[in-house]
């Protein structure tokens, strides 16, 4: 209590307010509705309240911290911390003398007239508290009876072509008999009619060409008729529809293009103008929804632009329209030429990246990653990407693991066709928003851990990726094959496998073939205050092969002499961002995943199991050092501990407050909770089985972070400490080891 009083007193600004000033603390609107009732009084009052200016200085629990830091910074030699707090949080004081009561009263009456409450009245009073050096403004509004609409009429000459077009839109009008006069509704109606006319070819029409006129002379009471007419003197070109008569496509457009004539190919009623064949017309035409002879439609134009951008070969996509001929007084329809200008990205690109790797499992060393990309390999927008990586790491920490090294290299090639490759022909218009891409991938990976084992794998996939709308993306891979081979196992590693049947079985599943599906909903690229993200993954393997597999002596099935894994796995990643402003965000995340082996498999393949801990998980625990359940390896940091910490159930929750510090530095305060479990009890993993007591088996941690934002490239540094460690005895799990934080370095935000 004394502490709270001391903080409040210390942050009091009364002593800083000049003698001849009163701090403006509040503006309040009171409405008298004795003579006029309205259903939406609450919303009207909120609108009037939001009109008040200026806004008082912000107050939190009675303390005006921003104002306090401002006053402190005005003192002689304020100090670095005070200057910093003033720069980030300080506010200029708002005094009673800054409030112009007559002007605000007029503004309130203007807002009421826009809502149909003509002849209302408003008076304002500044209530002063000289003793406490503050004042507040009270605005008293007498609300008149609102004007109500009796009739809505179209006042445009029948002889004009646009008359019938506007009349056809009125079936969806926002103007309804009996409604209150409302200027914002009329503006919205103008925009609605303009959009409807544009979609019916009226290329040169503008919303401000529509005029609403109200007539109250016909009535004694507060009623009015509303007339919709056109602005006088509109040119002929604004009053007629247009059709797209010619479509010119420039597959290799640039401002530096030669002005002389180049080759023109006529295909699907479009002119493809390019020097030679940079992009095959038959491959580009399906992306273009414009049609010669069709009326101009901005929606179709926007869809075409988005579909062309999604190919991945173009930097800019511009669709420009121009009048083909001048308009005469007798023309009832005009003609447009559509120029589709496509500016390509660089066709080929090579990237080389040197890396320094430091993993939480005690390995560190150099790495190299290279890639080659061709963005138009077959002149149909196909993207060929080949990437290779190499990593050499050596053990720098961990008990009983001196001399361990890790060598890893891989090669992967992806070929992406910006169209649907499917045995049955599917109309491209079926995917109106975007055309699916077909992706074929193949790769090889080799990992050698000295004194332990070697693991090599080849993998391939075939699938489709498409956007259903601006928020939803689907990815379906009906063919996913991964074949691994464990070799060069050392006696030490053989002993580990012999003592842990669960681990041995997970490594033995060398043949994985199935399908994967991913659903993503994301609002993170919008300017909304509340943003949601959902990512759902389904992974199924072995079900089709089980129908054709041959049963072996051990009861399991094989195909082409290979035992195959059989399982289903589903996980959901839900994220929510609440943006306090452009630079401050509270981010939440929930993750839940479950994998179930069955049929040919007793356990999930090792590569498909979940792990917990690390920079994208529960940051107070190193990678793979948390779980499963309450399990703790006998030799913490030993060779066996790295492999055991996996499970087929994963639950996690995270919350993080992100805020700016200075320049491109950002800060964060976070808390994480989570763990992994197994659905079955495992002999050599005591405490790993999921139970109803899972809440008490969560690893919980908190910490602070620093982010370096270099043109949206985020370098992240996090320091986290555990608060609840499930590996400890139940009575000792709540810990406060703040002296030994876990350091995490990563690229990008954790969620």
């Amino acid at each position: 209590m004394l502490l709270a009083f001391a903080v409040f007193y210390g942050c009091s600004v009364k002593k800083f307010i000049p003698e001849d000033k009163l701090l403006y603390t509040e503006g309040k609107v009171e409405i008298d509705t004795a003579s006029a009732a309205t259903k939406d009084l609450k919303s009207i009052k909120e609108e009037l309240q939001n009109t008040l200016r200026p806004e008082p200085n912000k107050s939190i629990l009675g303390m005006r911290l921003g104002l306090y830091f401002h006053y402190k910074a005005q003192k002689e030699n304020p100090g670095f911390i005070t200057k910093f707090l003033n720069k980030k949080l300080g506010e200029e004081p708002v005094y009673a003398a800054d409030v112009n009561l007559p002007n605000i009263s007029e503004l309130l009456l203007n807002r009421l007239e826009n809502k149909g409450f003509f002849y209302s009245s408003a008076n304002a009073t500044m209530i002063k508290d000289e003793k406490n050096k503050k004042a507040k403004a009270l605005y008293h509004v007498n609300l008149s009876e609102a004007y109500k609409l009796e009739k809505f009429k179209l006042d445009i000459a029948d002889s004009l072509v646009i008359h019938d077009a506007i009349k056809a839109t009125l079936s969806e009008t926002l103007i309804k008999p009996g409604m209150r006069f409302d200027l914002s509704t009329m503006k919205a109606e103008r925009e609605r009619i303009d959009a409807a006319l544009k979609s019916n070819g009226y290329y040169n029409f503008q919303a401000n060409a529509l005029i609403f006129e109200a007539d109250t002379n016909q009535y004694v009471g507060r009623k009015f008729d509303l007339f919709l007419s056109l602005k006088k003197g509109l040119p002929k070109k604004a009053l007629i529809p247009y059709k797209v008569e010619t479509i010119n496509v420039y597959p290799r457009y640039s401002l530096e293009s030669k002005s002389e004539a180049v080759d023109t190919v006529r295909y699907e009623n479009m002119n493809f103008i390019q020097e030679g064949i940079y992009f095959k017309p038959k491959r580009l035409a399906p992306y273009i929804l414009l049609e010669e002879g069709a009326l101009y439609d901005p929606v179709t134009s926007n869809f075409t632009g988005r579909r062309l951008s999604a190919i991945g070969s173009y930097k800019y996509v511009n669709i420009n329209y121009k009048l083909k001929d001048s308009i005469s007084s007798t023309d009832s329809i005009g003609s447009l030429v559509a120029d589709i200008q496509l500016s390509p990205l660089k066709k080929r690109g090579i990237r080389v990246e040197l890396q320094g790797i430091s993993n939480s499992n005690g390995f560190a060393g150099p790495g190299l990653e290279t890639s080659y990309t061709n963005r138009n390999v077959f002149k149909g927008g196909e993207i060929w990407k080949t990437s290779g990586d190499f990593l050499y790491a050596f053990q720098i920490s961990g008990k009983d693991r001196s001399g361990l090294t890790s060598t890893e290299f891989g090669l992967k090639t992806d070929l992406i066709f910006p169209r649907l490759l499917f045995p049955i022909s599917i109309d491209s218009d079926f995917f109106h928003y975007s055309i699916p891409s077909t992706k074929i991938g193949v790769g090889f990976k080799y990992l050698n851990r000295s004194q332990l084992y070697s693991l090599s794998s080849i993998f391939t996939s075939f699938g489709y990726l498409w956007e259903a709308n601006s928020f939803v993306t689907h990815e379906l891979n009906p063919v996913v094959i991964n074949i691994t081979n464990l070799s060069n196992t050392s006696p030490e590693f053989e002993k580990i496998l012999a003592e842990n049947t669960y681990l041995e079985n997970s490594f033995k599943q060398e043949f994985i073939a199935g399908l994967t599906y991913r659903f993503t909903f994301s609002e993170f690229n919008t300017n909304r205050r509340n943003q949601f993200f959902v990512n759902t993954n389904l992974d199924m393997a072995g079900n089709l092969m089980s129908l054709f597999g041959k049963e072996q002596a051990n009861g399991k099935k094989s195909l082409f002499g290979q035992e195959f894994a059989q399982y289903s796995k589903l996980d959901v990643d839900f994220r929510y961002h609440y943006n306090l402003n452009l630079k401050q965000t509270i981010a939440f995340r929930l993750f839940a995943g479950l994998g179930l082996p069955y049929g040919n498999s007793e356990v999930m393949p090792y590569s498909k199991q979940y792990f917990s801990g690390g920079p994208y998980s529960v940051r107070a625990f190193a990678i793979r050092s948390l779980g499963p359940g309450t399990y703790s390896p006998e030799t913490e940091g030993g060779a066996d501990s790295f492999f055991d910490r996996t499970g087929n159930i994963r639950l996690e929750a995270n919350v993080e407050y992100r805020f700016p510090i200075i320049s491109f530095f950002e800060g964060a305060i976070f808390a994480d909770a989570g763990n992994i479990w197994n659905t079955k009890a495992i002999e050599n993993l005591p405490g790993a089985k999921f139970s109803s007591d899972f809440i008490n088996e969560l690893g919980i941690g908190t910490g602070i972070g620093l982010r370096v934002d270099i043109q949206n490239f985020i370098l992240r540094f996090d320091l986290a400490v555990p608060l609840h460690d499930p590996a400890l005895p139940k009575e000792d799990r709540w810990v406060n080891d703040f002296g030994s934080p876990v350091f995490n370095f990563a690229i990008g935000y954790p969620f």
Side-chain angles (χ1 to χ4, degrees), residues 5 70 73 122 131 176 208 216 237-238 325 336-337 385 392-393 401 439 476 490 522 536 579 684 706 712 742 746:
F5 176 78
H70 168 80
K131 180 180 179 181
K176 307 293 183 183
N208 59 13
T216 62
K237 66 180 183 179
D325 303 301
L336 295 173
V337 175
K385 183 176 181 180
Y392 176 79
R401 301 175 74 176
K439 182 178 179 180
L476 174 64
S490 67
S522 177
T536 301
N579 297 306
N684 293 314
L706 175 69
N712 293 322
V742 176

Side-chain angles (χ1 to χ4, degrees), residues 550-574:
K550 181 180 180 181
E551 189 167 341
Q552 301 180 108
N554 60 5
K556 296 184 178 182
K557 293 183 178 180
S558 65
L559 192 65
F560 307 120
Q562 287 274 358
E563 284 190 13
F564 51 85
Q566 192 173 5
Y567 64 87
S568 292
K569 181 182 177 184
L570 176 67
D571 52 54
V572 179
D573 187 349
F574 171 81

Side-chain angles (χ1 to χ4, degrees), residues 170-441:
L170 296 183
S171 60
E172 304 292 332
T173 182
L174 304 176
I175 310 295
K176 307 293 183 183
M179 67 173 283
R180 188 180 66 232
F181 179 94
D182 193 328
L183 187 61
S184 62
T185 301
M186 296 179 195
K187 290 181 178 178
E189 176 70 359
R190 288 201 319 180
E191 297 295 334
R192 187 196 65 80
I193 294 174
D194 177 57
L197 291 175
K198 287 281 199 320
S199 65
N200 282 281
Y202 286 83
Y203 172 74
N204 277 316
F205 190 80
Q206 299 296 327
N208 59 13
L210 294 169
I211 298 176
F212 283 104
E213 296 178 305
D215 181 12
T216 62
N217 295 325
Q218 307 297 320
Y219 307 102
V220 177
R222 296 202 167 204
K223 298 180 181 180
F224 70 99
D225 291 338
L226 190 65
F227 298 88
L228 176 62
S229 59
L230 292 173
K231 187 185 294 185
K232 293 181 180 179
L234 290 175
K236 178 73 174 182
K237 66 180 183 179
L239 302 176
I240 61 173
Y242 290 80
K243 65 180 180 180
V244 179
E245 187 167 309
T246 305
I247 301 174
N248 297 323
V249 184
Y250 298 86
R252 199 175 188 177
Y253 177 83
S254 71
L255 294 176
E256 295 77 22
S257 298
K258 296 179 181 179
S259 58
E260 59 262 24
V262 293
D263 298 333
T264 299
V265 175
R266 185 75 175 168
Y267 182 81
E268 295 286 342
N269 296 320
M270 289 177 276
N271 300 319
F272 289 84
I273 304 171
Q274 56 185 322
E275 189 174 355
I277 300 295
Y278 176 78
F279 204 118
K280 296 177 181 177
K282 72 174 183 178
R283 296 303 184 196
L284 201 54
Y287 291 88
I288 301 172
L289 300 175
L290 305 183
E291 296 180 7
E292 287 188 353
L295 290 174
Y296 164 79
D297 183 359
V299 175
T300 301
S301 184
N302 290 337
F303 269 58
T304 296
R306 185 176 56 250
R307 287 158 66 105
L308 290 168
S309 297
I311 293 175
S313 298
Y314 289 106
K315 179 169 49 176
Y316 302 114
V317 175
N318 295 313
I319 302 179
N320 295 323
Y321 294 91
K322 57 188 178 184
L323 299 182
K324 186 169 185 179
D325 303 301
S326 59
I327 302 299
S328 69
S329 59
T330 59
D331 288 336
S332 60
I333 191 168
S335 297
L336 295 173
V337 175
D339 288 334
I340 303 177
Q341 300 165 344
L342 307 175
S343 301
L345 291 161
K346 288 185 177 180
K347 183 176 180 180
R348 298 176 180 86
I350 297 177
R351 180 186 178 191
V352 179
E353 181 179 346
L354 291 173
Q355 301 173 332
I357 307 298
S358 178
N359 292 332
S360 297
N361 60 358
F363 279 90
L368 176 68
E369 183 176 325
T370 63
S371 65
Y372 166 79
T373 303
N374 186 321
R375 294 184 177 88
N376 192 22
V377 62
F378 301 130
K379 299 183 179 181
E382 303 86 358
I383 298 176
W384 177 291
K385 183 176 181 180
T386 297
S387 58
D389 60 88
F390 172 81
L391 170 66
Y392 176 79
F394 51 90
Q395 188 68 34
I396 60 174
S397 64
K399 301 177 182 179
D400 303 324
R401 301 175 74 176
S402 60
L404 283 180
T405 62
S406 175
T407 303
E408 182 177 350
F409 62 86
L411 185 67
K412 182 182 180 183
T413 295
D414 291 322
L415 181 57
I416 302 173
F417 296 86
R419 52 189 173 274
L420 187 67
L421 300 183
F422 197 70
I424 302 174
S425 177
I426 298 177
D427 188 351
S428 61
D429 289 341
F430 179 80
F431 300 97
H432 193 66
Y433 186 83
S434 68
I435 295 178
S437 295
T438 303
K439 182 178 179 180
I440 302 172

Side-chain angles (χ1 to χ4, degrees), residues 395 397-404 450-452 492 496 634-641:
Q395 188 68 34
S397 64
K399 301 177 182 179
D400 303 324
R401 301 175 74 176
S402 60
L404 283 180
S450 69
Q451 304 178 24
L452 290 175
E492 180 186 3
I496 294 172
E634 295 180 3
T635 55
E636 186 68 44
D640 58 329
S641 66

